Amino acid sequence: MDDLEAAAEHARHLSEQAIADRSTSRQCHVTWADRARFLRDLAVQEGPPPPGPELPAAEEARWTAHAHDVRRRHMMYLYESRYDAAGRQITVVEVPDLDQPTEDCVLVVAGDVDSATMRVLGRYDTLDQSQADLPAAVQPGVLHPRGRFPRSAGKVPPLADLIEQIAGATQSQEIAEVLDYVVSDGASPRHLSQLCDLLAECADFALATETVTGRDLSVRLRGLMVQTDVLDRQLRHALIAFQDTIAVLPPHRTPQPRHLIPPPAVRSTPPPPPAQAAPPRVPRRL
């Protein structure tokens, strides 16, 4: 609340000036965008949150063991995940029924579904029944709590324009210029460096979920970043090769007409007569 009040006061002060500071004004708007959703959720909450589903100890142990077994066999379908006011991760899943294996049922579980601490809170026949018993969700967090403004991509043309530029190129130097927009460059962002930034953000997000699957996915994405570095080096070698190869396309590769209908070809010789059909062969009798 204090953060919003300070941002509103700063924005009001900037609006009264003749020339407003755009960057500071943008930060004020971002502050409101980050905080307003928390206020919205608080406004709709009345009274203490409901306790949520609970199973007797014996039933909880029985269904929890079944949930772990089903998850290991990749037979668990995840519907949704949320955090409640107690800080628990709550997930709604569908699994084969323990008592009727040919049927499915819905479970509400607490904790990471891939960890040993997962336990079942409730068992339901349908998804609607589970939704009515779910604890209230609290607002999800953000990847960068201290705020992070995306850097400008500069004047790097989009990939679609670069592909068109290659299609219209006539010499190798033009291809080298296109590749220069793709390979990484420390002075300004390029497509591969932006791809690395994207993979890094995805890896950070996966790790921030604090789940087993998230940690595994983060490692896989970091591995893709290494492969991207290899691709970047190979493309840089290709760029140098195009620069060293002073080549042009041969003139016989002329563009074909796209909108003109070619006239019908004029025969200079009469067409050959149709071939005579051979008479059918009659097998000889021995």
Side-chain angles (χ1 to χ4, degrees):
M1 294 290 289
D2 293 339
D3 195 15
L4 280 176
E5 184 179 3
E9 182 63 28
H10 204 157
R12 191 179 303 110
H13 177 69
L14 289 174
S15 64
E16 295 173 355
Q17 296 180 353
I19 301 177
D21 185 353
R22 292 185 177 180
S23 62
T24 307
S25 176
R26 181 170 177 267
Q27 293 179 14
C28 294
H29 288 107
V30 171
T31 300
W32 270 91
D34 288 341
R35 302 292 189 267
R37 52 180 182 170
F38 290 98
L39 291 180
R40 180 190 59 204
D41 285 355
L42 288 174
V44 299
Q45 296 182 18
E46 298 179 1
E54 288 290 342
L55 282 175
E59 283 295 299
E60 176 186 323
R62 179 170 172 261
W63 280 101
T64 297
H66 177 62
H68 282 291
D69 179 63
V70 168
R71 182 60 176 173
R72 282 192 298 267
R73 291 186 289 150
H74 304 285
M75 299 177 63
M76 177 182 289
Y77 179 80
L78 308 181
Y79 277 116
E80 66 167 302
S81 183
R82 63 173 64 183
Y83 278 85
D84 64 359
R88 301 179 302 177
Q89 183 181 9
I90 307 297
T91 308
V92 182
V93 303
E94 183 180 73
V95 299
D97 197 314
L98 183 58
D99 301 320
Q100 299 178 353
T102 59
E103 301 293 334
D104 293 333
C105 65
V106 177
L107 301 179
V108 174
V109 302
D112 181 8
V113 295
D114 293 306
S115 69
T117 59
M118 176 186 67
R119 67 186 186 93
V120 176
L121 301 180
R123 183 267 177 204
Y124 307 90
D125 291 329
T126 64
L127 180 62
D128 292 339
Q129 292 177 359
S130 66
Q131 296 291 324
D133 204 17
L134 279 178
V138 297
Q139 181 65 40
V142 295
L143 183 58
H144 301 286
R146 295 185 179 181
R148 177 172 177 178
F149 302 102
R151 69 179 186 180
S152 174
K155 296 182 179 180
V156 178
L159 284 176
D161 293 347
L162 295 180
I163 295 173
E164 288 293 328
Q165 189 171 338
I166 293 175
T170 60
Q171 50 186 312
S172 59
Q173 297 299 313
E174 297 178 75
I175 307 301
E177 293 177 2
V178 170
L179 289 179
D180 188 52
Y181 284 117
V182 179
V183 297
S184 299
D185 183 8
S188 59
R190 294 292 192 263
H191 283 290
L192 272 181
S193 62
Q194 293 177 21
L195 177 59
C196 285
D197 291 341
L198 183 145
L199 293 175
E201 290 292 297
C202 292
D204 290 344
F205 185 95
L207 187 62
T209 59
E210 300 180 2
T211 62
V212 174
T213 301
R215 288 194 295 269
D216 294 342
L217 185 56
S218 178
V219 172
R220 289 167 53 191
L221 290 171
R222 296 290 179 185
L224 288 177
M225 292 175 61
V226 174
Q227 297 181 32
T228 305
D229 291 338
V230 175
L231 175 62
D232 181 68
R233 290 195 297 269
Q234 295 296 330
L235 281 178
R236 188 169 295 279
H237 293 329
L239 185 153
I240 296 174
F242 274 112
Q243 289 175 336
D244 295 340
T245 303
I246 307 302
V248 297
L249 295 180
H252 61 75
R253 298 181 62 87
T254 56
Q256 297 295 323
R258 298 184 180 180
H259 305 287
L260 298 179
I261 301 177
V266 178
R267 290 184 178 273
S268 57
T269 58
Q276 296 290 335
R281 295 184 59 186
V282 180
R284 296 177 57 187
R285 293 185 178 181
L286 298 179

